[in-house]
Every structure is written in structure tokens, then in C-alpha cells.
């Protein structure tokens, strides 16, 4: 069994690596998202120096946000054709009726979770900055229930999500670890973790500790466990660890294999052990990535949405309208 302190130590190393990997792309993504949300009040579509120069000289500085129109066309099309789940029987051990039942269960989870909002939020971030996420989790039905339900939730801030940089699949299904961070108020932190004193976290200020909030992370990671794959007389396959005693006589072939087991734990600030941990009963990292445009350019991953290609055009429009109005005003 992995030592709890080793879990946190490895998690910190992985987080530092992911933060460095995503830093450049996310800096540009933030700039792109600010640009598409620009208006006459915040001035986000004007370079800061030019905006100050025009304001100081009392020149017109208009924002004609045409970028948002192009983005909204794409986003509205996505909302009209949201992703739908269809379960299809794919092998000899499956049947159409079971597939329809599973499909109905998944649709019920989506409806109960208001999953459309999670999908739309991820799609918007992918269109703007090139990167969005939504997640799958389990939670108790209510305060007194002992029954857990599966839910689909949004990740409103994609910059608080980090996924294994070695994942090569577009949907990151081959990722071996990931983080979801959240900022919680200091009063909530003291209520949930009364035995943890964050007074010694000064050196971590800006990462885990902010002026009014603390940062908490959900950390998913997988371990590879040795097992044996068995081929049975009836043509089915199974893991030896999952066979019933009476089924051992049906084994025809065996071969060593490794099985991926997912773990979940919760980390806070300077605490050197997880504050909570358990097994995650799933086959994949339960964080779904939604990517705008992503391409490997000579080893460098370039990720962006639609906004970056529209920025210079939008700046020309803003400048042209501002100069036109300025000229008319002087006349």
C-alpha cells in the first residue's frame, strides 16, 4: 500500500509539472476569453497602452464587439445539437435490451444533473480559449441518505483543472492522473477541517492560500495492479481475482496482465497527507476534456479557440470606427 505522505509528494510533483505544461497556453486562453467579453466599459479589446493614450488625449475609444457574434453562432449551433448518448451492443456478451436499459440510465443521469449546462459551459470555453471541461462524480441524494447517485457537473473555471500532459487521446481517456482545484472560503475551511492549522502556509501563499480563500484539490490517480487474465471454456474472459471458486475449473488459458485501479483523494494546502481518500469505481479519469483546435507543431502542442484568429480583425474594426467617429466629431 502506498504511504499517504508519498501520495502527496507525488501529487505535488505532478501538479508542478502540469502547471508548467499548461502555463503558456492558458495565459493566451485567458487573454482570448477576456477579448471576446470585451466591451466599452472594461476595454478588454484594446491594448492597455493604446487605451490609456487615447483616453489621456480625450480621443474616441470605441469597442464594436463583432468577435462575440461569430462565437455565439457556433455556441448556438452546439446548443441546438447537443451531444447525445447511445449505447450499442458490441460483443457476444451483450444484447440490445441491455444496451437500451443502460442508455436510459445514462439519459436519466444527464437529466437529473442538468448536464446540458455542464456541456454548454465546456463548449463555450473551448470556443473562446480552446479548452473546457466537465466532470462525473458521485454524491449522496440528500443529507440523510446512504444512497449515492452519479452526477454530471460543470467545471466553470478550466484553469483550475489539470490533466496528465502525457495523455495523447483527444478526449484524454488515456490520462493516468488529474486534478480539480476549488477555492473555498476561510470560514468554510475552518468548519470542514477544524484540526488543520493553516498558519504555517505562508511560504505557499499565492498557490494554496489567497487573501480570502484557501485552495483545495481533488486528485485522481491510477495504480497498476498485477493480475491474471483467464480464458474460460465458454469463450468468455475474466480476471482471476474476480472468478468464483467454482469457476476455476473452467479456465483454459492464463496470462499475466496489469489492471488499472483508480484512486481519489482530497488535498489541502500544507497538509502532508490526504484529508480524505477512497477508490474510484470507474475505468477512466472522470474529467472530460473539450478542446477547440489542437495541433502538434514540431513537438509543441498549440491549442486555441476561434477568438485568436479574429483578434486582429476586431482591432482593425475598433480602430477604424473610433477614428471615423473622431473625425466626424472634429468636423
Amino acid at each position: 500500500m502506498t504511504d499517504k505522505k508519498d501520495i502527496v509528494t507525488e501529487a505535488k510533483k505532478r501538479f508542478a509539472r502540469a502547471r508548467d505544461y499548461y502555463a503558456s497556453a492558458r495565459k493566451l486562453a485567458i487573454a482570448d476569453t477576456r477579448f471576446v467579453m470585451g466591451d466599452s466599459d472594461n476595454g478588454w479589446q484594446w491594448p492597455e497602452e493604446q487605451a490609456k493614450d487615447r483616453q489621456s488625449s480625450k480621443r474616441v475609444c470605441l469597442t464594436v464587439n463583432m468577435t462575440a457574434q461569430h462565437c455565439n453562432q457556433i455556441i448556438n449551433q452546439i446548443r441546438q445539437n447537443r451531444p447525445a448518448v447511445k449505447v450499442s451492443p458490441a460483443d457476444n456478451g451483450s444484447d440490445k435490451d441491455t444496451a437500451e436499459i443502460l442508455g436510459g440510465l445514462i439519459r436519466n443521469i444527464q437529466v437529473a444533473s442538468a448536464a446540458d449546462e455542464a456541456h454548454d459551459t465546456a463548449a463555450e470555453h473551448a470556443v473562446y480559449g480552446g479548452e473546457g471541461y466537465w466532470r462525473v462524480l458521485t454524491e449522496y441524494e440528500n443529507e440523510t441518505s446512504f444512497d449515492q447517485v452519479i452526477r454530471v457537473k460543470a467545471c466553470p473555471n478550466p484553469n483550475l483543472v489539470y490533466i496528465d500532459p502525457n495523455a495523447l487521446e483527444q478526449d484524454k481517456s488515456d490520462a493516468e492522473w488529474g486534478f480539480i482545484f476549488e477555492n473555498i472560503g476561510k470560514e468554510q475551511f475552518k468548519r470542514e477541517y477544524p484540526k488543520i492549522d493553516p498558519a504555517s502556509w505562508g511560504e505557499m501563499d499565492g498557490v494554496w492560500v489567497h487573501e480570502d480563500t484557501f485552495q483545495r484539490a481533488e486528485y485522481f490517480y491510477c495504480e497498476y495492479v498485477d493480475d491474471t487474465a483467464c480464458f474460460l471454456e465458454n469463450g468468455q474472459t475474466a480476471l482471476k481475482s474476480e472468478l468464483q471458486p467454482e469457476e476455476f475449473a473452467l479456465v483454459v488459458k492464463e496470462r499475466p496482465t496489469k489492471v488499472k485501479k483508480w484512486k481519489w483523494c482530497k488535498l489541502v494546502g500544507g497538509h502532508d497527507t490526504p484529508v480524505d481518500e477512497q477508490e474510484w469505481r470507474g475505468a477512466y479519469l472522470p474529467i472530460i476534456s473539450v478542446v477547440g483546435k489542437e495541433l502538434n507543431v514540431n513537438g509543441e502542442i498549440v491549442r486555441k479557440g476561434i477568438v485568436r484568429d479574429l483578434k486582429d480583425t476586431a482591432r482593425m474594426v475598433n480602430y477604424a470606427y473610433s477614428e471615423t467617429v473622431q473625425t466626424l466629431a472634429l468636423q
Side-chain angles (χ1 to χ4, degrees):
M1 181 179 289
T2 306
D3 186 85
K4 292 185 177 182
K5 290 187 178 181
D6 292 339
I7 294 174
V8 175
T9 300
E10 184 177 47
K12 289 179 179 179
K13 291 179 181 178
R14 286 176 167 177
F15 166 65
R17 180 176 164 222
R19 181 181 57 190
D20 293 341
Y21 175 83
Y22 285 101
S24 177
R26 289 189 171 175
K27 184 178 180 180
L28 294 172
I30 292 171
D32 292 345
T33 306
R34 285 169 61 90
F35 191 91
V36 76
M37 300 300 291
D39 53 40
S40 297
D41 293 325
N42 56 40
W44 285 345
Q45 288 201 354
W46 283 86
E48 187 175 352
E49 293 183 1
Q50 289 189 18
K52 288 181 178 179
D53 180 62
R54 297 184 73 88
Q55 290 169 2
S56 62
S57 59
K58 296 183 179 180
R59 300 171 68 188
V60 177
C61 189
L62 301 177
T63 297
V64 183
N65 194 340
M66 301 180 67
T67 307
Q69 298 177 21
H70 295 287
C71 293
N72 289 337
Q73 290 177 354
I74 299 173
I75 293 168
N76 289 335
Q77 289 177 358
I78 293 173
R79 286 175 174 166
Q80 291 174 1
N81 300 279
R82 289 190 174 100
V85 174
K86 183 177 181 180
V87 179
S88 301
D91 55 37
N92 295 331
S94 59
D95 61 82
K96 185 177 179 181
D97 292 338
T98 303
E100 290 179 354
I101 292 172
L102 291 174
L105 288 173
I106 294 172
R107 288 191 292 272
N108 179 67
I109 292 169
Q110 290 183 313
V111 171
S113 306
D116 286 345
E117 296 180 9
H119 299 156
D120 291 347
T121 300
E124 280 189 81
H125 281 293
V127 170
Y128 297 154
E131 175 187 21
Y133 299 94
W134 52 276
R135 63 174 303 188
V136 178
L137 54 80
T138 58
E139 60 185 15
Y140 289 104
E141 287 183 309
N142 53 56
E143 293 81 359
T144 59
S145 175
F146 288 86
D147 296 326
Q148 288 193 347
V149 292
I150 300 172
R151 290 288 181 259
V152 175
K153 297 290 184 182
C155 295
N157 186 353
N159 296 317
L160 294 179
V161 180
Y162 295 89
I163 292 180
D164 181 4
N166 288 336
L168 300 178
E169 297 293 336
Q170 188 78 8
D171 59 0
K172 312 304 179 187
S173 58
D174 56 337
E176 296 187 355
W177 51 267
F179 295 88
I180 299 178
F181 283 83
E182 63 175 339
N183 291 317
I184 60 175
K186 293 186 176 181
E187 292 183 0
Q188 179 185 351
F189 184 91
K190 291 177 182 177
R191 182 174 64 251
E192 295 186 10
Y193 309 109
K195 296 182 180 180
I196 298 178
D197 180 15
S200 62
W201 295 5
E203 72 280 1
M204 305 184 75
D205 187 46
V207 178
W208 292 91
V209 182
H210 304 277
E211 184 176 352
D212 298 317
T213 61
F214 292 116
Q215 206 162 57
R216 176 172 62 184
E218 291 182 69
Y219 171 45
F220 296 89
Y221 65 98
C222 67
E223 295 179 342
Y224 288 90
V225 180
D226 291 328
D227 208 327
T228 303
C230 299
F231 184 80
L232 307 182
E233 288 181 354
N234 56 12
Q236 294 184 351
T237 59
L239 294 172
K240 197 167 188 177
S241 60
E242 298 175 352
L243 290 178
Q244 299 297 323
E246 62 274 11
E247 294 178 316
F248 283 102
L250 302 177
V251 176
V252 177
K253 290 186 198 176
E254 293 184 359
R255 69 173 180 85
T257 187
K258 289 185 179 292
V259 181
K260 187 186 291 186
K261 298 288 186 181
W262 280 96
K263 308 283 186 178
W264 169 91
C265 61
K266 191 167 285 188
L267 312 176
V268 294
H271 208 52
D272 59 358
T273 59
V275 295
D276 193 8
E277 60 179 325
Q278 63 186 36
E279 287 189 14
W280 172 255
R281 296 188 178 278
Y284 303 98
L285 175 70
I287 307 172
I288 293 80
S289 173
V290 182
V291 178
K293 296 172 68 177
E294 184 178 75
L295 194 65
N296 188 318
V297 182
N298 195 29
E300 178 185 1
I301 301 297
V302 177
R303 185 185 298 113
K304 62 180 180 178
I306 191 175
V307 175
R308 201 167 305 167
D309 296 332
L310 299 174
K311 289 168 81 171
D312 282 345
T313 305
R315 291 188 180 111
M316 287 193 297
V317 171
N318 291 337
Y319 189 83
Y321 272 95
S322 298
E323 287 300 306
T324 301
V325 173
Q326 181 73 34
T327 302
L328 292 173
L330 289 174
Q331 291 177 349

